[in-house]
């Protein structure tokens, strides 16, 4: 079955089984590797993409259901890695292994699109579906707050102290 | 994504085995430097460094020693530094090159880092495990950089006709202050390539006060690629014409295939191959199964819905968690089979104690659950097995593939691919062997990818364990007696992998009347190392029970521990021991101070707990604050961590991330992770029944502080994890009066009042 949709601004048509999850269409048919496979049951969030602006778990989303949709993956969040979240993720050195972070950023981007200045409770709700096995949660939370501030032009700070040591 | 990270370099370098000069003399130096020009101009710096930093290698190691290959410098001044170890999220791809770059005396901004392939003739000890990268490579990497800097000085000295000792370096420039002349490293590269090598053992190193990179916060070199979703991980690697594979194994460990409906599977959409693999009956290399190879991974995995396999389950089918628990309780009533250590007279001391506590502690099997499921890509062609492997141990992966396939190790090439988490899972490479086997069968490039279910049910688990403890305190509130019967897994007097207890596990040697014994239960479930192996469970038991004894003594939990550390230890027996109690007391006092420790909580539902643990050469003490609602809902509020890993934190930005990650992982283990066995198979399949900690459960703050002591730097990958668990459990007790002696916590009702 031929399914057509847009990914990161480019039109795509694929001839695949209609029940093939969008994640695998993106990764193995279109060679778009940003969305990752972690569980296959939409429990970990590594596969998070935007479908018509909404964060969705692509590992359980059958491709026939995105006929005509606008899909954005982490590769398409910005043309050059300059989305405020991408910049702050680098500046705060959020990632350890990095495997979950594309999904984290996509979930966070959807949150900020909806709630430009989220509270901790807002962050809890939006981000709780994204597992980080390496445990970078404190920096994820801090990064979202700072990205929100950067966008707003204000200055805030929360989160953990860090220290290079003393004698 | 390139096929060969260093193929061109390998060709240009012409590196080979050590020269006869280097091999002569059993105790002579093995470190040497070979300088080679590269095509197109520039310098290739191959530095042979004894990774143990001794400067001397025994004769029996001489044949293993080979040159390393770290710095590539081109005439235009581009500096590429090779990162030699597997990167699993612990940050070595950034950290090890920092060491080289600082001593080489170039700006970090001018450096490009490249991942080295597994090339044992160039690099030594390319593995990720044991928090070993820092202690193993701190000095050798610095020497590699320092040799480069000396070579630059020597080249400029020759060019200017001055003495090298009159020259200075900085930011990739050599200068002659007396004349004001300067020259860039790039301009010197071709000349440097012709010069004899400085001796790594005598080349001057920077004083730490001169560090410009080491000790400064540096971002993960792959951040730009991570945040834009570039293909970095094993699962992302592709080759033209590549097929995708799944491998169906018996749910019961080491079961074998009797028959399978291959014809039906071959008819499924996109499937190109389906075949039985007999395996070699070894869960750490290759067990039997059915391989399905298709045009896309989803099609291969979908075909498993049609696949029907008749299995010969084998003897593991008799084993279960319920069975282990029952057997452990039975063994606990008997004398331990093996006595690990005895001091004083435990029975008399218990009898004389002012108060005694008896407790049974236990913890379950847990699965590594690294977020990227195991996978590998391989291509068998022209008698070569090319492999792209997200592995922690390429040495043993290469060996395993060679042994099982019956090929030579040098018929295998291994590119080290970034791991979406390791945590010890990728120390074991059976998924590499599976991939190689399938690749040889199909003759085209193939990627094998496990599902989460495959990964969770075919792990090498952190083993569960059972401790039957009794302790006694005297009228002065001091710990006088300790008795532990540890029921673990193993046979013939030998513990199963990562299931052991050392005779000197604290508080051994610090209690005058002490008894520790072990009994073993046979186990056919594969076990292995998981982040802070042994310690990740034992700290919960030891620091939890110590807390119980502090409570029984009416003592402050910090002071009770300091009193223990202040004792003169009994002699150590055999291997192990050597806890530096001054360092441990140092971090314990520091964390108590930073947390504002003032004893138990006076607010019901609010609690504070403390614990310490020594593992992987690191000393860590932690305080955890929790809130528990009356209905039993737990919130982890704030955490303070103090660690002592010697005199230098190399990359403070990553160090804090790593330590916080270890703490959060400890909480994850403790809160909800449990693998159970029924009929020799794992029950939990995915994150719906094996929950990992999420953002909402993480503490709001984790304050990390490093105490610097006059010791060589050691690693941070693991030592922050173990004490997090007992600190949490102790805090829960402080808040609710409920003592948790079995993990995970979510099995317990924490309601109070």
């Amino acid at each position: 079955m031929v399914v057509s949709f847009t990914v990161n601004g480019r039109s795509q048509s694929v001839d695949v089984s209609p029940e093939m999850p969008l994640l695998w269409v993106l990764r193995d048919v279109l060679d778009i590797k940003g969305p990752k496979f972690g569980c296959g049951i939409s429990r970990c969030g590594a596969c998070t993409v935007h479908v018509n602006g909404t964060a969705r778990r692509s590992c359980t989303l059958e491709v026939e259901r995105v006929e005509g949709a606008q899909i954005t993956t982490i590769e398409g969040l910005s043309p050059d890695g300059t989305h405020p979240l991408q910049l702050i993720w680098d500046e705060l050195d959020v990632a350890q292994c990095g495997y979950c972070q594309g999904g984290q950023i996509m979930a966070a981007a959807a949150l900020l699109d909806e709630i430009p200045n989220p509270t901790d409770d807002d962050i809890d709700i939006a981000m709780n579906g994204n597992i980080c096995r390496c445990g970078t949660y404190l920096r994820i939370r801090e990064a979202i707050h700072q990205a929100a501030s950067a966008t707003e032009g204000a200055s805030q700070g929360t989160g953990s102290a860090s220290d290079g040591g003393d004698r | 994504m390139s096929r060969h990270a260093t193929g061109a370099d390998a060709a240009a370098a012409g590196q080979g085995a050590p020269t006869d000069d280097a091999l002569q003399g059993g105790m002579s130096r093995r470190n040497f430097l070979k300088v080679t020009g590269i095509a197109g101009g520039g310098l290739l710096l191959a530095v042979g460094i004894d990774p143990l930093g001794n400067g001397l290698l025994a004769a029996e190691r001489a044949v293993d020693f080979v040159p390393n290959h770290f710095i590539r410098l081109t005439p235009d001044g581009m500096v590429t530094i090779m990162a030699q170890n597997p990167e699993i999220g612990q940050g070595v791809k950034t950290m090890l090159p920092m060491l080289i770059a600082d001593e080489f005396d170039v700006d970090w901004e001018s450096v490009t880092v490249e991942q080295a392939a597994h090339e044992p003739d160039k690099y030594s000890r390319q593995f990720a495990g044991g928090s070993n990268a820092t202690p193993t490579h701190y000095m050798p990497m610095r020497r590699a950089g320092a040799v480069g800097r000396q070579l630059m000085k020597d080249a400029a000295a020759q060019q200017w006709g001055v003495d090298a000792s009159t020259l200075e370096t900085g930011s990739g420039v050599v200068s002659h202050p007396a004349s004001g002349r300067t020259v860039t490293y790039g301009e010197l590269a071709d000349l440097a390539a012709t010069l004899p090598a400085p001796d790594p053992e005598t080349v001057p190193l920077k004083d730490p006060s001169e560090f410009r990179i080491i000790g400064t916060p540096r971002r993960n070199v792959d951040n730009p690629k991570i945040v834009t979703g570039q293909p970095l991980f094993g699962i992302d690697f592709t080759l033209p014409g590549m097929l995708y594979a799944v491998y169906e194994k018996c749910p019961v460990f080491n079961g074998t295939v009797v028959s399978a409906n291959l014809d039906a599977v071959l008819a499924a959409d996109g499937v190109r191959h389906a075949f039985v693999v007999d395996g070699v009956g070894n869960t750490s290399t290759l067990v039997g199964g059915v391989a399905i190879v298709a045009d896309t991974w989803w099609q291969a995995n979908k075909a498993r819905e049609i696949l029907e396999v008749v299995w010969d389950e084998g003897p593991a089918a008799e084993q279960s968690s319920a069975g282990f628990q029952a057997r452990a309780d039975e063994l606990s009533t008997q004398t331990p089979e093996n006595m690990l250590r005895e001091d004083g007279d435990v029975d008399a001391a218990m009898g004389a104690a002012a108060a005694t506590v008896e407790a049974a502690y236990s913890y379950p099997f847990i699965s590594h659950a690294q977020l990227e499921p195991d996978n590998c890509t391989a291509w068998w062609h022209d008698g070569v097995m090319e492999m792209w492997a997200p592995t922690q141990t390429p040495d043993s992966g290469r060996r395993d593939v060679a042994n099982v396939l019956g090929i030579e190790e040098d018929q295998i090439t291994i590119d080290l691919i970034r791991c979406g988490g390791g945590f010890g899972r990728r120390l074991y490479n059976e998924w590499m062997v599976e991939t190689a086997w399938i690749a040889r069968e199909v003759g085209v490039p193939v990627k094998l990818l496990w599902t989460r279910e495959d990964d969770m049910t075919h792990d090498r688990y952190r083993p569960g364990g059972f401790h039957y403890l009794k302790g006694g305190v005297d009228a002065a509130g001091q710990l006088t007696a300790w008795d532990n019967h540890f029921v673990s897994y193993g046979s013939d007097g030998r513990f199963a992998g990562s299931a052991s207890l050392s005779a000197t596990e604290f508080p051994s040697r610090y209690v005058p009347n002490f008894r520790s014994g072990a009994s073993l239960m046979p186990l056919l479930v594969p076990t292995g190392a998981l982040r802070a192996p042994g310690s990740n469970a034992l700290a919960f038991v030891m620091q939890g029970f110590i807390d119980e004894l502090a409570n029984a003594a009416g003592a402050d939990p910090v002071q009770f521990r300091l009193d223990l550390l202040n004792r003169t230890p009994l002699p150590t027996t055999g291997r192990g021991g050597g806890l530096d109690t001054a360092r441990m007391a140092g971090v314990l006092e520091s964390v108590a101070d930073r947390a504002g420790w003032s004893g138990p909580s006076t607010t019901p539902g609010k609690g504070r707990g403390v614990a310490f643990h020594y593992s992987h050469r690191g000393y860590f003490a932690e305080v955890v604050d929790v809130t528990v609602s009356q209905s039993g809902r737990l919130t982890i509020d704030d955490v303070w961590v103090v660690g002592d890993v010697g005199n230098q934190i190399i990359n403070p930005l990553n160090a804090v991330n790593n330590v916080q990650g270890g703490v959060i992982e400890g909480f994850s283990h403790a809160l909800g992770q449990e693998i159970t066995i029924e009929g020799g198979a794992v029950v939990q399949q995915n994150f719906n029944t094996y929950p990992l900690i999420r953002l909402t459960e993480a503490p709001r703050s984790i304050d990390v502080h490093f105490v610097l002591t006059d010791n060589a730097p050691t690693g941070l990958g693991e030592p922050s994890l173990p004490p997090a668990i007992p600190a949490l459990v102790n805090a829960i007790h402080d808040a609710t009066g409920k003592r948790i002696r079995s993990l995970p916590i979510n099995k317990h009702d924490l309601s109070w009042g």
Side-chain angles (χ1 to χ4, degrees):
Chain A
M1 170 174 159
V2 175
V3 185
S4 301
F5 45 84
T6 318
V7 184
N8 300 331
R10 288 178 75 184
S11 301
Q12 300 285 359
S13 281
V14 294
D15 188 3
V16 295
S17 166
E19 57 176 344
M20 188 170 184
L22 176 61
L23 175 67
W24 297 111
V25 174
L26 292 169
R27 289 186 59 86
D28 291 352
V29 179
L30 298 177
D31 201 34
I32 294 171
K33 302 296 188 189
K36 304 297 186 201
F37 172 67
C39 71
I41 61 168
S42 292
R43 286 293 179 124
C44 79
C47 66
T48 305
V49 299
H50 295 173
V51 179
N52 297 330
T54 303
R56 302 291 301 276
R57 312 293 185 218
S58 61
C59 73
T60 54
L61 179 55
E62 294 99 334
V63 70
E64 64 177 339
R65 294 174 56 205
V66 298
E67 172 66 45
Q70 306 260 9
I71 294 163
T72 310
T73 72
I74 181 67
E75 292 98 325
L77 186 62
S78 69
D80 51 4
T82 57
H83 187 284
L85 286 168
Q86 291 171 313
L87 295 175
I88 200 73
W89 236 254
D90 178 34
E91 186 182 327
L92 296 187
D93 206 41
V94 176
Q96 291 182 35
C97 86
Y99 193 71
C100 77
Q101 302 294 351
Q104 302 279 358
I105 292 171
M106 293 308 282
L111 167 64
L112 292 182
D113 282 345
E114 197 191 323
I115 306 175
N117 201 358
T119 62
D120 277 329
D121 285 347
D122 294 326
I123 292 173
D124 281 357
I125 294 166
M127 300 303 296
N128 206 44
N130 287 74
I131 292 175
C132 174
R133 174 64 178 83
C134 299
T136 69
Y137 295 126
L138 273 63
R139 290 191 179 186
I140 288 172
R141 187 186 294 279
E142 176 69 18
I144 293 171
H145 280 304
Q146 287 202 24
S149 302
T151 313
E152 290 224 278
S155 177
Q156 287 179 14
T158 58
S160 57
S162 64
D163 193 319
D166 61 31
R167 290 202 180 272
Chain B
M1 194 166 185
S2 68
R3 280 183 51 194
H4 290 287
T6 58
D9 304 334
Q15 298 303 310
T19 63
D20 286 346
D21 285 347
L23 285 169
Q24 274 170 11
M27 294 301 281
S28 67
R29 290 190 186 130
R30 296 288 176 262
N31 300 333
F32 65 93
L33 172 69
K34 188 170 171 186
V35 181
T36 323
I38 47 179
L43 160 73
L44 207 59
L45 192 66
V47 183
I49 297 286
D50 167 8
L52 296 178
N54 296 332
L56 299 168
L57 277 176
E60 65 267 21
R61 289 203 287 270
V63 294
D64 295 327
F65 180 68
V66 287
N68 299 325
H69 171 182
F70 291 109
I71 303 175
R72 195 160 74 237
L73 175 68
T74 52
D76 62 1
M78 292 297 301
V79 179
T80 302
I81 296 182
M82 303 305 291
Q84 68 148 63
N85 277 12
E87 171 62 58
I88 62 173
Q90 84 284 51
V92 292
K93 187 177 179 183
T94 304
M95 185 271 286
L96 293 176
M98 284 172 66
L99 300 171
I100 298 170
D102 206 330
E103 292 286 359
F104 190 40
D105 221 357
V106 293
D107 291 337
W108 185 242
E109 293 75 11
S110 71
V111 170
T112 301
V113 170
E114 207 172 287
Q115 176 64 53
H118 182 234
E119 295 182 280
D121 58 341
K122 290 189 178 142
Y123 305 103
S124 60
R125 302 187 176 222
Q126 291 181 278
F127 78 94
S131 305
N132 270 311
T134 296
T136 303
H137 295 292
Y138 181 68
M139 292 304 288
M141 295 293 133
R142 288 181 60 194
R143 289 202 192 97
V147 158
R149 180 165 96 251
Q150 186 61 49
L151 201 55
M152 295 295 105
K153 284 184 169 180
D154 291 345
Q158 178 167 312
Q159 185 162 293
W160 293 331
V162 300
D163 201 282
S165 64
T166 65
L167 302 177
E168 291 172 0
T169 60
S171 297
V173 171
V174 185
S175 58
H176 184 230
S179 66
R181 283 177 288 184
T182 65
V183 63
T184 67
Y185 283 9
E187 290 168 321
L188 293 168
D190 286 342
L191 173 57
T194 67
L195 296 183
D199 178 4
E201 280 308 298
T202 57
V203 69
L205 296 173
K206 284 187 176 182
D207 182 271
S209 64
E210 299 172 283
F211 287 158
R212 296 181 60 238
I213 300 172
I214 299 169
T216 68
R218 300 293 170 172
R219 302 173 190 178
N220 182 334
V221 295
D222 280 340
N223 273 349
K225 292 181 180 167
I226 289 169
V227 302
T228 56
Q230 299 309 303
L232 287 174
F233 301 92
I235 196 177
D236 298 327
F237 188 78
T238 54
L239 288 167
M242 188 175 82
L243 297 178
Y244 296 81
V246 295
Y247 191 55
E248 175 89 7
K249 291 179 287 209
C250 184
V252 177
F253 292 102
N254 225 346
T256 53
V257 179
V258 173
S259 64
N261 60 338
L262 299 178
D263 288 340
V265 171
L266 278 162
D269 225 33
V271 173
R272 303 297 196 98
H273 306 271
F275 50 90
V276 173
V277 178
D278 290 330
V280 298
N282 184 339
T283 56
S284 57
T285 55
L286 186 66
V287 298
V290 177
I292 304 173
V293 186
D295 293 331
T296 66
W297 184 80
W298 181 76
Q299 289 170 316
N301 196 47
K302 188 109 177 87
R304 291 164 93 167
E305 293 173 10
I306 309 170
L307 175 65
E308 287 166 9
V309 185
V310 176
W311 300 102
D312 177 359
E313 290 186 343
E318 305 300 308
Q319 301 207 327
S320 68
S321 292
F324 297 141
Q325 176 76 64
R327 179 65 180 143
D329 289 340
E330 185 188 348
L331 284 168
S332 75
T333 64
Q334 302 163 17
T335 309
E337 291 164 358
N338 306 291
M339 201 49 69
L340 299 172
R341 186 180 173 109
E342 284 188 270
D343 297 295
D345 186 336
V346 168
D347 297 324
M350 292 291 184
T356 61
V357 180
E358 274 193 72
Y361 274 68
S362 67
Y363 40 86
F365 291 89
I366 60 175
S367 174
H368 293 81
Q370 77 293 345
L371 200 63
E372 179 197 20
D374 286 317
N375 65 82
C376 191
T377 304
W379 184 19
W380 171 252
H381 63 100
D382 307 306
V384 175
M385 182 66 74
E386 287 195 75
M387 305 195 74
W388 294 264
T391 175
Q392 294 178 237
T393 51
D395 283 330
S396 58
R398 182 187 293 270
R399 247 190 331 267
D400 290 342
V401 169
N403 288 342
V404 173
L405 269 64
I407 63 177
E408 297 303 313
E409 288 194 27
D410 62 14
Q411 289 179 260
I412 302 165
T413 69
I414 300 176
D415 267 30
L416 298 175
I417 309 296
R418 188 181 190 91
C419 303
F423 309 105
R425 179 60 185 92
R426 293 179 151 119
L427 296 168
Y428 311 104
N429 297 301
E430 71 276 30
W431 36 272
M432 273 181 81
V433 181
E434 291 168 6
T435 306
W437 189 278
I438 294 169
R440 191 167 62 174
E441 286 294 312
V442 306
V444 298
V446 66
K447 169 191 269 88
L448 170 67
L449 170 64
W450 290 10
T451 61
R452 173 59 53 193
E453 289 80 4
D454 293 331
D455 200 288
M456 194 166 287
T457 60
H458 291 92
D459 195 350
R460 296 200 73 84
Y461 302 88
R462 192 284 302 274
F466 307 87
H467 296 254
Y468 300 87
L469 292 144
K470 186 171 179 183
V473 295
D474 66 14
Q478 297 297 313
L479 176 56
T480 56
W482 177 288
D483 190 357
N484 185 16
H485 185 173
F486 175 39
V487 179
S488 184
Y489 298 99
S491 57
D492 301 324
R494 295 180 57 198
F495 290 107
S498 297
S500 63
L501 174 66
S502 161
T504 52
E505 183 71 42
F506 190 87
S508 173
R509 301 172 61 218
Y510 292 87
V511 187
N513 305 286
F514 181 91
R515 186 160 60 208
S516 177
S519 300
L520 301 178
M521 302 185 282
L523 181 67
L524 295 174
V525 174
T527 61
L530 187 152
R531 194 175 189 177
S535 299
N536 58 39
L538 294 175
F540 158 63
V541 176
M542 304 306 162
Q543 291 284 315
F545 195 58
I546 283 172
D547 213 62
E548 293 202 51
L549 292 165
N551 297 155
D556 175 88
V558 170
Q559 191 58 51
F560 190 80
R561 288 171 171 80
L562 286 172
D563 289 345
L564 277 177
L565 291 171
N566 207 31
R567 295 178 175 183
T568 304
L570 297 167
T572 182
T573 53
R575 299 173 64 223
L579 178 75
D580 186 330
T581 49
R583 292 177 76 180
M584 191 58 84
V587 295
L588 179 57
E589 283 167 342
S590 176
V591 79
D593 178 57
R594 292 180 73 86
W597 180 276
S598 59
S601 161
T602 51
T603 310
K606 292 240 177 239
R608 162 168 282 202
V610 65
F612 66 71
H613 196 76
Y614 169 76
S615 70
H616 305 281
R617 307 182 182 91
Y619 294 81
F620 274 76
E622 302 178 14
V623 170
V624 175
D625 278 358
V626 302
T627 302
V628 184
S629 73
Q630 273 198 281
S631 63
R633 205 170 134 254
L634 169 69
T635 305
I636 308 175
D637 297 315
D638 303 287
V639 181
W640 291 261
V641 178
V642 176
D644 173 358
V645 289
N647 61 21
Q648 181 68 61
I649 301 299
I650 299 162
N651 182 354
L653 189 56
N654 182 66
V656 169
N657 205 353
N658 209 334
V659 165
Q660 291 179 337
V663 169
I664 288 175
E665 174 165 352
F667 293 158
S668 188
H669 293 182
L671 288 173
Q673 289 179 231
E674 179 180 27
I675 291 290
T676 54
I677 311 292
E678 279 175 23
V682 167
V683 171
Q684 293 71 22
Q685 309 260 325
N686 209 316
F687 298 133
N688 51 341
T689 50
Y690 186 76
L692 301 184
I693 192 171
R694 293 181 181 268
L695 177 127
T696 49
E697 299 160 297
R700 117 186 105 206
S701 74
I702 303 178
D703 179 88
V704 177
H705 175 70
F706 297 106
V707 169
L708 300 182
T709 60
D710 188 16
N711 296 283
T714 56
L716 284 172
E718 291 159 293
S720 73
L721 189 160
I725 300 174
L728 171 63
V729 163
N730 296 341
I732 291 171
H733 177 262
D734 192 40
T736 65
K738 295 203 163 171
R739 174 57 64 179
I740 290 167
R741 296 169 171 168
S742 68
L743 297 178
I745 292 169
N746 69 7
K747 294 198 302 191
H748 299 272
D749 172 11
L750 302 182
S751 64
W752 57 272

